[in-house]
Amino acid sequence: MSAVSDYVIVGFILVSTLLWFRYLYVVRSGQTWLGFQERCPVPWGVLHLLIIAGIYLTCQLLFQAWWWGDIDSGVHFDEMSTERTSQNFLLLSVSSLVSCLASLSFLRLATGATWTDLGMDWKRGLHGMTIGSIAFVMLAVPIYALQGILTWICKALQVMSAEHPLFEMLREENSARSFWIAFCAAVLVAPIWEEIAFRLVLQGWLENVVYTFRWMSDPTHDPRKIDGFLLRGGGLATQVFLPASNRPTDHTVIQPSWIPIVLSSLLFSAMHIGHGPAPVPLFFLSLGLGYLYQRTHSLFPCIVVHMLLNGTTWIFLWRALGEG
């Protein structure tokens, strides 16, 4: 079984390397690897972001109060018993799913957002999943390599680094129940919630801010089209109203900005501080996910990459603890 796993890993690395060579060849030849999909800016602003944050926190507190009968926010995961930790992860998963549904419903009702605005163009769902599968093969190898190097450096320097509470729970309670709770929390729920929060809601709004500022600083070209970004609404706070224009379209365009991707990635990695060297590779993973969302404006490829990566990590941990 070990030999088969070794062959699978080697083959995976080989395919990933070939895809990266293909990507570099396409880019150097001046072609486009992943086309920029046109769309209108998302119709939500900073006030909607604050309300969504409130929805998430409220769901967490309500589920905690309902299950435990109190809100024990002062107790950290490392101070809990293994039984309570596993139940907390289960509650966290359920409340996260409820907050996702509540947030999406709120955006549709409050802003009139369409499914396309919400990154869920169901007609292109299969295409997005295909892109996500290819992106996973390309991203997994460098991300795991970076994680391994940083872990080795921490051990060589004898730097004690805390693991993710989910991993610590599994090491303390090596049971089927704990592993399935970990699977649901890390592989199914976390990718959906994090991609909705950081890619759709946060990065989508940051794109509005950046593109609006760029148009305001250089409004000489046709404001209705900035490299595929259609300025029909959204804007900094509510909407940008564009004057009618009968003049020919100026083909000068503003290139897509990395600012929204970098800012959302910094917040994404900061959320994982305290989990050893994980924030560093997760920052680069988030850059890749942000790039996918920027080009496709779809959540499908981002969620597929995130699920497959977390699922691979879960399998490695399951095998390691099983052999132990």
Side-chain angles (χ1 to χ4, degrees):
M1 189 60 150
S2 178
V4 174
S5 301
D6 292 341
Y7 283 123
V8 171
I9 293 174
V10 171
F12 190 90
I13 295 174
L14 179 61
V15 173
S16 178
T17 304
L18 292 175
L19 285 174
W20 276 109
F21 274 117
R22 174 63 179 170
Y23 169 78
L24 294 174
Y25 171 79
V26 170
V27 171
R28 290 192 63 182
S29 62
Q31 303 176 37
T32 302
W33 175 262
L34 187 59
F36 193 98
Q37 299 296 320
E38 290 186 351
R39 74 167 175 90
C40 294
V42 295
W44 51 84
V46 64
L47 180 60
H48 300 102
L49 266 68
L50 295 176
I51 294 176
I52 289 174
I55 290 174
Y56 173 74
L57 292 176
T58 301
C59 288
Q60 297 295 323
L61 295 177
L62 288 178
F63 271 86
Q64 187 175 351
W66 167 70
W67 185 261
W68 300 114
D70 63 351
I71 300 175
D72 198 2
S73 58
V75 178
H76 299 285
F77 277 110
D78 54 0
E79 300 173 354
M80 296 179 184
S81 64
T82 305
E83 177 68 19
R84 177 149 184 167
T85 300
S86 62
Q87 292 186 32
N88 263 15
F89 275 117
L90 184 59
L91 285 177
L92 183 65
S93 300
V94 175
S95 61
S96 295
L97 282 179
V98 172
S99 65
C100 283
L101 294 174
S103 297
L104 294 176
S105 300
F106 163 72
L107 290 177
R108 282 183 61 84
L109 293 174
T111 68
T114 64
W115 286 115
T116 302
D117 293 329
L118 298 175
M120 301 178 190
D121 186 350
W122 302 104
K123 294 181 180 179
R124 297 177 58 86
L126 183 59
H127 177 67
M129 293 178 185
T130 303
I131 293 175
S133 301
I134 297 173
F136 163 71
V137 177
M138 296 180 67
L139 291 173
V141 172
I143 294 301
Y144 279 124
L146 181 59
Q147 174 74 17
I149 292 172
L150 293 175
T151 302
W152 178 82
I153 291 175
C154 289
K155 290 182 179 180
L157 298 176
Q158 296 182 346
V159 176
M160 298 298 293
S161 59
E163 287 186 325
H164 193 286
L166 204 60
F167 295 167
E168 295 178 356
M169 179 193 75
L170 292 177
R171 295 187 189 280
E172 294 178 7
E173 186 185 349
N174 192 351
S175 65
R177 175 177 173 273
S178 296
F179 269 93
W180 284 113
I181 290 177
F183 178 83
C184 292
V187 182
L188 300 180
V189 177
I192 296 175
W193 178 82
E194 291 176 352
E195 294 311 307
I196 289 176
F198 289 95
R199 243 59 63 186
L200 175 68
V201 178
L202 179 59
Q203 185 179 321
W205 171 72
L206 288 172
E207 285 183 357
N208 285 12
V209 174
V210 171
Y211 279 88
T212 302
F213 268 118
R214 287 191 169 192
W215 170 69
M216 292 172 63
S217 63
D218 183 21
T220 57
H221 54 272
D222 187 349
R224 280 177 292 273
K225 184 171 182 179
I226 302 181
D227 197 45
F229 198 80
L230 306 178
L231 284 176
R232 293 179 185 166
L236 296 178
T238 53
Q239 289 187 347
V240 177
F241 296 96
L242 301 177
S245 174
N246 296 321
R247 61 184 174 81
T249 300
D250 186 347
H251 293 288
T252 302
V253 296
I254 295 177
Q255 295 300 317
S257 173
W258 278 90
I259 295 176
I261 299 175
V262 173
L263 291 179
S264 59
S265 297
L266 286 172
L267 290 175
F268 178 77
S269 61
M271 191 181 69
H272 296 83
I273 291 177
H275 300 163
V280 178
L282 287 179
F283 171 76
F284 290 99
L285 169 65
S286 186
L287 291 180
L289 295 174
Y291 176 79
L292 285 177
Y293 177 75
Q294 182 198 68
R295 308 304 292 188
T296 65
H297 293 116
S298 171
L299 284 179
F300 292 116
C302 303
I303 291 176
V304 166
V305 172
H306 207 146
M307 280 187 172
L308 290 177
L309 198 71
N310 285 12
T312 305
T313 302
W314 181 83
I315 291 174
F316 285 155
L317 184 63
W318 171 64
R319 290 199 59 194
L321 294 179
E323 292 174 357

